[in-house]
């Protein structure tokens, strides 16, 4: 989820591109860089850290030239360091390139280029693109006028994966940009044009934009924009007027980062399904870290027991992971709150696998739990979002989730990305080739379309002082997560129980004033949960159920129902999480709470 930008016009490019990456910094902040062209020569400055720190040292605004590209990085391949920072240049330093996305076949391409004599300066997948373009440019027929567009089109035939990139050549007054799976927008000015990963980076200059579609190449000069298919056919331009202002655009038109992040979940799932570890064969290393790994799906099967350690939302993903790992891979698994695990002298052996789940990769208790597991001789594996974070560096192996930067303090898309990775791990440990079905993305989108209905329910129930959340099997960890979402952002008391536990105490709480959110899709425990709902209704409790579309029994029984699409039973958690997040969000918003930065909380909990 890096940010890319481009500028061509009559103003100093350095200052404009610096502003653009400031706006895009939410997409990644490991390293930044800018390339401009001045006097027929490429000028590149790049460094590790946040935009403001790197800029203090490199003074991007002073770069000469009225044409350039810029990048802010969220590391995927290779750690954040000077060598891995974009832009990348070819060996003759004629081309510069910035890239967002993943080139899946980069190892193969790298090998091929190496054999052709190309040497690489970084560990990234992105660098192969610039070398391929340079090679294809030079291979064009000497007698014809060489074309960067043609060299890029040829290169596209060799690339697999998801990407958006911008490339420029020192002797040419144009930017060539391409989109396939990663966002790209062009801003139209007077004798100047802009490119960026999202509108926030160009809206202060123009509100007239063209969204580049997947499989389109753009040729941008200061006076013109042309779009082509990947086969070189010309496409029409559809210019749109943006209605947002800059402040809103930073959240891409969403009122809060949390809402934006909830709506990003289809993209997060798609991104996760594209990662190399989603398709690994039994003997392929599980690790996706920069270090080579000896941990393969084959060797992982020697572990007789899995312990998952995490905190908060990550721990609820872990509890769901326990259910999934046991059910899919047949390996016994337990989930432990990291802060408990670290102080209870757990019994671990060298055939134990300890998995740490963490969005930030910095949570103190999870880190301590991993250190303890290592001391006791267990093998450690991280499911981590922030690349090269402390836990990612301390575990023996790491699977990076593909949520991108999560800014809202309440975790939403990171939770979903953790679930997707747990599914992938469970399938891999089971030695099964199967992965998540791609139609899950469509079903998540359909569930997001329930937003207005859920907002109306929030209006109806926001006065309640207490809520109960219930569910069985995988719906129980979801109940815990739903209750946590509600309490942390709306400050309403909410408790979650396995539905079968109600009659062992909590049912005493049930009254008209305490609504219950019952997670009740048509799965193996549907009838059992239905009986628990009956018990609540018999005591005048209000029930808001989350169920499967077309379920008339649930509709008749409950006060309100949120219907999600029918999916394969095992994948229900991916759709059921959405209404829980949206319900909490809208209640907090109606109550005018600080949704993105709730009181007393921080995004990264680095103290115990
Ligand atoms: C809740 C939330 C927290 C985190 C917890 C662990 O919405 O975000 O409960 O899940 O603090 O954080 P990470 O995943 O960074 O270890």
């Amino acid at each position: 989820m890096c940010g890319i930008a481009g500028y061509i016009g009559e103003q100093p490019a350095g200052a404009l591109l610096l502003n653009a990456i400031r706006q895009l910094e939410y997409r990644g902040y490991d390293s930044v860089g800018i390339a401009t062209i001045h006097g027929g020569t490429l000028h590149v400055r790049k460094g590790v850290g946040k935009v403001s720190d790197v800029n203090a040292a490199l003074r991007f605004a002073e770069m000469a030239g009225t044409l350039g590209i810029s990048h802010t990085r969220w590391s995927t391949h290779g750690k954040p360091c000077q060598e891995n920072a974009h832009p990348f240049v070819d060996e003759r330093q004629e081309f510069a390139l910035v890239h967002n996305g993943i080139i899946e076949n980069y190892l193969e391409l790298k090998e091929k280029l190496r054999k052709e004599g190309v040497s690489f300066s970084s560990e990234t997948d992105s660098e192969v693109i610039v070398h391929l373009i340079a090679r294809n440019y030079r291979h064009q027929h000497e007698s014809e006028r060489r074309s960067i567009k043609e060299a890029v089109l040829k290169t596209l035939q060799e690339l697999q994966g998801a990407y958006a990139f911008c490339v420029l050549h020192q002797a040419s007054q144009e930017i060539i940009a391409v989109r396939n799976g990663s966002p790209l927008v062009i801003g139209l000015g007077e004798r100047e044009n802009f490119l960026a990963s999202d509108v926030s980076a160009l809206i202060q200059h123009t509100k007239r934009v063209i969204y580049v579609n997947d499989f389109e190449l753009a040729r941008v000069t200061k006076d013109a924009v042309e779009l082509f298919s990947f086969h070189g056919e010309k496409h029409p331009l559809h210019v749109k007027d943006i209605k947002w202002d800059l402040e809103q655009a930073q959240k891409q038109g969403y009122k809060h980062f949390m809402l934006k992040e909830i709506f990003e979940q289809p993209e997060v799932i798609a991104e996760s399904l594209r990662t190399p570890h989603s398709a690994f064969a039994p003997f392929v290393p599980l690790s996706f870290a920069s270090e080579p790994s000896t941990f393969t799906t084959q060797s992982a099967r020697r572990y007789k027991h899995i312990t998952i350690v995490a905190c908060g939302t990550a721990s609820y993903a872990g509890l769901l992971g326990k259910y999934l790992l046991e059910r899919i891979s047949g390996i016994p698994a337990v989930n432990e709150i990291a802060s408990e695990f670290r102080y209870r002298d757990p019994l671990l052996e060298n055939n134990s696998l300890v998995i740490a789940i963490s969005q930030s990769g910095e949570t103190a208790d999870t880190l301590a739990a991993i250190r303890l597991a290592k001391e006791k001789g267990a093998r450690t594996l991280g499911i981590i979002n922030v690349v090269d974070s402390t836990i990612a560096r301390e575990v023996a192996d790491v699977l990076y989730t593909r949520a991108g930067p999560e800014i809202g303090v309440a975790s939403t898309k990171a939770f979903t990305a953790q679930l997707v990775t747990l599914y992938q791990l469970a399938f891999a440990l089971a030695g099964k080739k199967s992965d998540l079905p791609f139609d899950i993305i469509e079903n998540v989108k359909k569930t997001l379309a329930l937003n207005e209905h859920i907002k109306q329910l929030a209006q109806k129930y926001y006065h309640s002082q207490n809520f109960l959340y219930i569910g069985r099997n995988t719906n129980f960890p979801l109940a815990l997560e739903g209750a946590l979402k509600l309490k942390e952002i709306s400050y309403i008391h909410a408790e979650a129980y396995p539905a079968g536990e109600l009659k062992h105490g909590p049912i005493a709480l049930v009254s008209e004033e305490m609504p219950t959110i019952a997670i009740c899709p048509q799965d193996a425990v549907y009838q059992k949960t239905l009986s628990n709902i009956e018990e609540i209704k018999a005591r005048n409790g209000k029930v808001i159920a989350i169920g499967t579309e077309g379920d008339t029994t649930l509709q008749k029984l409950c006060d309100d129902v949120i219907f999600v699409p029918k999916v394969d039973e095992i994948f229900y958690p991916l759709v059921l999480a959405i209404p829980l997040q949206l319900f909490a969000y809208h209640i907090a918003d109606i109550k005018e709470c600080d949704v993105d930065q709730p009181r007393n909380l921080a995004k990264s909990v680095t103290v115990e």
Side-chain angles (χ1 to χ4, degrees):
M1 299 272 282
C2 307
I4 60 175
Y7 173 75
I8 183 162
E10 293 174 347
Q11 302 187 59
L16 283 163
L17 290 167
L18 169 63
N19 263 338
I21 45 175
R22 279 196 176 120
Q23 298 303 332
L24 295 173
E25 200 171 17
Y26 76 92
R27 301 182 66 84
Y29 30 80
D30 303 333
S31 55
V32 292
I34 292 184
T36 60
I37 293 174
H38 183 62
T41 313
L42 268 181
H43 300 267
V44 178
R45 293 184 193 178
K46 54 186 180 178
V48 180
K50 300 212 165 195
V51 176
S52 57
D53 299 334
V54 180
N55 183 48
L58 300 182
R59 299 206 215 302
F60 289 123
E62 292 171 11
M63 291 176 79
T66 57
L67 156 61
I69 52 178
S70 61
H71 189 269
T72 177
R73 178 167 187 246
W74 193 79
S75 312
T76 57
H77 295 60
K79 57 187 177 295
C81 63
Q82 179 76 19
E83 294 73 35
N84 292 338
H86 299 223
F88 291 109
V89 296
D90 67 308
E91 287 179 303
R92 293 192 197 172
Q93 311 216 349
E94 291 177 358
F95 287 92
L97 173 132
V98 290
H99 164 230
N100 167 29
I102 292 177
I103 304 302
E104 285 166 7
N105 60 337
Y106 83 103
L107 284 174
E108 195 186 299
L109 293 171
K110 212 167 173 173
E111 199 43 46
K112 201 163 146 190
L113 285 163
R114 273 207 183 106
K115 284 190 185 140
E116 293 173 19
V118 175
S119 53
F120 286 79
S121 59
S122 81
E123 301 163 300
T124 65
D125 55 338
S126 314
E127 196 188 344
V128 298
I129 314 173
V130 76
H131 292 302
L132 286 171
I133 294 172
R135 178 252 259 159
N136 292 336
Y137 181 75
R138 282 193 283 274
H139 283 186
Q140 283 170 14
H141 205 280
E142 292 292 335
S143 58
E144 289 168 13
R145 190 178 161 268
R146 285 183 172 160
S147 153
I148 300 161
K149 185 192 112 200
E150 292 306 323
V152 172
L153 284 175
K154 182 139 199 285
T155 302
L156 296 177
Q157 293 167 18
E158 296 173 76
L159 300 180
Q160 285 166 18
Y163 46 82
F165 64 76
C166 296
V167 62
L168 39 85
H169 182 266
Q170 60 173 16
S172 180
Q173 291 296 307
E174 65 186 354
I175 300 175
I176 302 293
V178 159
R179 174 184 166 143
N180 173 18
S182 303
L184 187 65
V185 59
I186 301 168
L188 305 174
E190 286 301 316
R191 297 190 59 74
E192 61 182 358
N193 287 310
F194 307 81
L195 283 143
S197 294
D198 87 52
V199 169
S200 65
L202 44 82
I203 199 163
Q204 58 192 127
H205 306 290
T206 177
K207 291 196 168 185
R208 293 180 64 234
V209 302
I210 297 168
Y211 288 100
V212 180
N213 291 316
D214 278 345
F215 311 113
E216 279 186 334
L217 174 147
R219 182 171 169 271
V220 182
T221 64
K222 76 176 179 181
D223 296 308
V225 172
E226 291 172 293
L227 284 180
F228 301 90
S229 75
F230 279 12
H231 300 294
E233 295 115 11
K234 209 152 179 182
H235 277 185
L237 304 180
H238 298 289
V239 181
K240 297 210 160 137
D241 287 319
I242 296 296
K243 307 266 187 301
W244 315 330
D245 59 24
L246 179 63
E247 216 259 315
Q248 282 174 304
Q250 283 167 338
K251 292 171 188 146
Q252 296 180 331
Y254 289 98
K255 187 169 177 190
H256 295 102
F257 281 109
M258 182 180 173
L259 190 61
K260 171 175 165 275
E261 287 160 6
I262 291 172
F263 274 86
E264 276 172 355
Q265 289 176 109
E267 197 195 322
V268 167
I269 299 174
E271 189 76 18
S272 308
L273 293 182
R274 280 189 213 113
T275 58
H277 62 248
S278 73
F280 47 68
F283 295 97
V284 172
L286 259 174
S287 173
F288 193 53
S290 33
E291 294 294 309
S293 164
T294 51
F295 188 80
T296 64
T297 50
Q298 187 71 5
S299 66
R301 265 177 254 140
R302 88 178 174 80
Y303 296 105
K304 296 285 166 269
H305 180 256
I306 296 173
T307 299
I308 303 170
V309 289
C311 300
T313 289
S315 170
Y316 300 147
L319 186 54
L320 241 154
K322 168 201 155 61
Y323 286 96
L324 298 176
L325 284 163
E326 290 195 341
R327 181 159 165 194
I328 299 170
S329 73
I331 303 174
V334 293
N335 180 64
E336 293 217 41
I337 303 278
S339 55
E340 288 298 309
F341 175 88
R342 65 182 290 193
Y343 291 119
R344 71 161 187 83
D345 199 14
L347 296 174
L348 294 173
E349 292 169 23
N350 65 2
N351 64 2
S352 307
L353 174 65
V354 176
I355 302 176
I357 305 179
S358 176
Q359 188 285 128
S360 63
E362 303 294 343
T363 302
D365 285 317
T366 312
L367 178 61
I370 275 299
R371 287 181 177 157
L372 179 65
K374 277 172 30 177
E375 251 172 60
K376 288 185 171 274
R379 180 79 185 195
T380 55
L381 172 68
I383 295 181
I384 310 291
N385 198 41
V386 177
V387 174
D388 266 343
S389 52
T390 310
I391 302 174
R393 280 184 273 116
E394 292 224 8
V395 286
D397 299 278
V398 60
L399 294 171
Y400 283 119
T401 50
R402 298 289 168 206
E406 193 178 57
I407 296 164
V409 163
S411 190
T412 52
K413 62 176 181 168
F415 175 73
T416 292
Q418 286 157 359
L419 294 191
V420 174
T421 307
L422 285 160
Y423 280 108
Q424 292 174 324
L425 179 63
F427 284 126
L429 291 179
K432 288 185 186 160
K433 268 199 126 179
S434 56
D435 209 331
L436 275 83
F438 261 90
D439 69 358
I440 197 75
I441 298 166
E442 281 315 305
N443 286 316
V444 167
K445 284 185 188 162
K446 279 187 201 156
T447 312
L448 285 167
L450 302 171
N451 186 36
E452 270 311 307
H453 172 54
I454 296 169
K455 192 171 169 181
Q456 283 161 16
L457 292 179
Q459 281 287 356
K460 184 170 167 188
Y461 289 99
Y462 82 97
H463 287 298
S464 305
Q465 302 291 309
N466 303 283
F467 278 84
L468 263 180
Y469 282 68
I470 58 163
R472 286 171 181 261
N473 203 321
T474 51
N475 304 321
F476 169 53
L478 285 172
L480 288 164
E481 172 59 3
L484 176 63
K485 286 286 90 85
L486 187 69
K487 64 190 138 195
E488 72 177 321
I489 59 169
S490 74
Y491 319 139
I492 291 174
H493 172 237
E495 283 196 60
Y497 284 95
E501 271 290 290
L502 272 189
K503 55 175 84 64
H504 300 285
I507 201 160
L509 290 169
V510 166
S511 74
E512 267 191 81
E513 278 74 51
M514 185 161 182
T516 298
I517 309 278
I519 307 169
C520 186
Q522 283 170 336
D523 56 12
V525 288
Y526 169 72
Q527 287 297 345
K528 300 285 166 201
T529 314
L530 215 53
S531 308
N532 299 124
I533 295 175
E534 298 269 14
E535 289 156 11
I536 296 169
K537 289 309 302 168
R539 286 156 185 84
N540 286 331
K542 294 245 183 314
V543 176
I544 307 149
I546 308 178
T548 306
E549 62 191 358
D551 185 342
T552 47
T553 312
L554 206 57
Q555 183 136 50
K556 278 184 211 139
L557 184 62
C558 300
D559 299 84
D560 288 287
V561 187
I562 301 167
F563 284 121
V564 299
K566 187 170 180 58
V567 298
D568 190 337
E569 185 175 333
I570 200 156
F571 300 121
Y572 264 122
L574 292 169
V575 288
L576 292 169
I578 308 272
L580 295 166
Q581 296 165 348
L582 285 172
F583 186 69
Y585 169 78
H586 286 300
I587 289 200
D589 187 34
I590 292 163
K591 290 184 74 192
E592 296 183 357
C593 298
D594 188 344
V595 172
D596 283 333
Q597 290 171 331
R599 68 186 182 205
N600 308 339
L601 297 175
K603 188 72 191 151
S604 182
V605 185
T606 51
V607 289
E608 64 169 297

